[in-house]
Amino acid sequence: GKVIRVDRMGAPRPDNPFISTPGTNPAIWSLGHRNPYGLAWDLDRRLLWSTEMGPAGGDELNVISKGANYGWPEVSEGNHYDGRPIPRHSTRPEFRAPAYSWTHTAAPSGLMVYRGALFPAWRTNLFAGGLAG
């Protein structure tokens, strides 16, 4: 999967990383995603975060970076559903490793950065929903 970046009219942004790469979609911002479900802007740190459903035990939280390849299907922190191992990110340093991964299936969906005033200790913390226990 890919994260794409376009302007309000749907055209690729001129500073996208693959804008001048022949044979590549110029809207691509990052690639190597398995199944991203949530995106959230962290305005304070100027980061784009994503939750991603991985295979068995390989759900991820990623910082989405310009031109980064997150490695799917070559690497994962989980295994195939039939139990066969998938090489870990640590074995392939050319791929961006997740900021966090779940060793159980959380099935993360949705994502937000808390910016409210009611709970000041939580300000700038990430909150993700989960579709599994």
Side-chain angles (χ1 to χ4, degrees):
K2 295 157 185 71
V3 171
I4 62 168
R5 182 172 173 252
V6 296
D7 64 21
R8 291 181 180 175
M9 300 305 293
R13 299 292 303 259
D15 60 338
N16 279 358
F18 303 104
I19 196 79
S20 300
T21 305
T24 303
N25 183 333
I28 294 172
W29 184 255
S30 65
L31 61 151
H33 301 283
R34 182 176 184 269
N35 203 356
Y37 262 66
L39 285 174
W41 283 109
D42 182 339
L43 299 173
D44 295 321
R45 291 174 281 213
R46 301 189 52 80
L47 297 174
L48 177 63
W49 293 91
S50 172
T51 54
E52 186 170 326
M53 284 194 199
D59 299 334
E60 298 178 356
L61 174 69
N62 289 303
V63 175
I64 304 301
S65 299
K66 179 180 183 176
N69 185 333
Y70 294 82
W72 181 259
E74 302 298 321
V75 294
S76 175
E77 299 308 302
N79 294 316
H80 292 286
Y81 291 115
D82 65 6
R84 288 179 297 126
I86 300 170
R88 300 296 181 243
H89 283 88
S90 61
T91 67
R92 301 284 301 273
E94 70 271 27
F95 297 125
R96 179 72 52 94
Y100 183 82
S101 64
W102 287 265
T103 56
H104 65 283
T105 299
S109 67
L111 185 64
M112 66 164 278
V113 179
Y114 182 73
R115 298 184 51 78
L118 189 58
F119 303 102
W122 293 354
R123 188 164 170 75
T124 73
N125 278 266
L126 296 166
F127 288 82
L131 298 175

